[in-house]
Amino acid sequence: MTVPLTYFGVHLAFILPPLLILGWLARRRDRAWWGARPLSGLAIMIGLAVVYTTPLTNHLIPEGVWWYGEGAVVATVWHTPIEEYLFFVLQPMLTAFWLFQLPATADRPLAIPLAHRLIGVGGGLSIAGVGLLLTADTSTYYLGWLLLWAGPILSIQWGFGLTYLWAVRRPLVAAIAVPTVYLWVVDRVAIQLGIWVISDAHTIGFAPLGLPVEEALFFLVTNLFLVQGLVMYVWLLDHVHELPSLTRVATRLAASSDER
């Protein structure tokens, strides 16, 4: 099948333009996050995204969970196209630059009730447990692996800052929802064009408006990872004085920051 748009073309047409606009706005707007603290957090998130997502795609692609249209990708490394690795970098930037427009902050100490930490850890591990069970069946294989993959990260994030995330839930929802819906649209267009194809056998068959629910879940949980991680990173730096061993790191970041 010949496709009118390649995977790299998707980046050029749909990812880079809003990314550049949002980055420009964040740098110029007084109320937006910018400078050493949020950008260092973004760099960490990008590194984690590449390291944590690479094994997932290189497991699911050879299993036939999805594949790419003829001529849609330039080359692959392991089993994953180089454009996919590039997306591991571009998606965090796109989502972060949107988050920077509406910073989510609250004056809350790092200490949170132990019960809240246990609820957070338990919630994430429960998601992973459900995912593990679902991987046993072919039709729920993709869904199961997504939940199994997402659960440990959610467990760590919620265990560390569930109380704080609840305190900033309104801007948090807006920061997650907008890039997620946008990427749903981009994903749906790419599927329609045959740039990548999602296996019917490995999905449950529920695809509102033509977007498999597994694909929708992937963008939701990855943006959840990114936004929660960045929000808690800034929260940690704002209250680093509560952790004496990290005070020196925060001082260096503050000294190099060009925030207005």
Side-chain angles (χ1 to χ4, degrees), residues 33 37-38 41 44-45 99 103-106 108-110 112 117 120 152-168 172 224-240 243 246:
W33 273 349
R37 295 198 307 169
I44 292 171
M45 290 299 108
L99 168 65
T105 59
R108 296 293 182 92
L110 291 177
I112 68 173
R117 295 196 189 278
I153 300 300
L154 294 176
S155 180
I156 292 169
Q157 291 186 334
W158 293 344
F160 176 74
L162 182 63
T163 306
Y164 183 75
L165 294 172
W166 179 255
V168 297
L172 201 72
L224 193 64
F225 293 168
L226 292 164
V227 172
Q228 289 185 159
L230 284 168
V231 166
M232 288 191 294
Y233 177 78
V234 173
W235 172 50
L236 174 62
L237 293 183
D238 283 342
H239 293 269
V240 72
L243 301 171
L246 297 179

Side-chain angles (χ1 to χ4, degrees), residues 35-230:
R37 295 198 307 169
L39 291 178
S40 63
L42 174 57
I44 292 171
M45 290 299 108
I46 290 172
L48 292 175
V50 173
V51 170
Y52 196 64
T53 311
T54 293
L56 178 71
T57 60
N58 284 289
H59 170 72
L60 295 180
I61 291 172
E63 289 291 326
V65 173
W66 73 82
W67 58 91
Y68 301 88
E70 182 180 349
V73 300
V74 174
T76 60
V77 177
W78 200 351
H79 300 288
T80 300
I82 59 174
E83 295 91 341
E84 192 85 26
Y85 292 111
L86 180 59
F87 186 70
F88 298 165
V89 175
L90 295 179
Q91 183 190 351
M93 294 178 66
L94 177 66
T95 300
F97 287 172
W98 168 251
L99 168 65
F100 292 176
Q101 310 300 318
L102 49 149
T105 59
D107 188 14
R108 296 293 182 92
L110 291 177
I112 68 173
L114 176 61
H116 293 188
R117 295 196 189 278
L118 294 177
I119 290 171
V121 171
L125 293 180
S126 297
I127 290 172
V130 171
L132 181 61
L133 294 175
L134 293 176
T135 60
D137 189 79
T138 301
S139 64
T140 56
Y141 192 76
Y142 188 7
L143 179 61
W145 267 101
L146 283 177
L147 295 176
L148 179 59
W149 175 77
I153 300 300
L154 294 176
S155 180
I156 292 169
Q157 291 186 334
W158 293 344
F160 176 74
L162 182 63
T163 306
Y164 183 75
L165 294 172
W166 179 255
V168 297
R169 61 191 179 278
R170 291 180 180 176
L172 201 72
V173 168
I176 294 167
V178 171
T180 297
V181 172
Y182 179 73
L183 290 171
W184 285 350
V185 173
V186 174
D187 191 29
R188 176 65 181 86
V189 170
I191 291 172
Q192 179 66 33
L193 294 175
I195 296 172
W196 50 79
V197 182
I198 310 301
S199 168
D200 290 334
H202 292 86
T203 54
I204 63 174
F206 181 56
L209 302 177
L211 181 67
V213 68
E214 293 86 354
E215 287 288 279
L217 179 63
F218 173 80
F219 290 110
L220 175 60
V221 297
T222 51
N223 282 331
L224 193 64
F225 293 168
L226 292 164
V227 172
Q228 289 185 159
L230 284 168

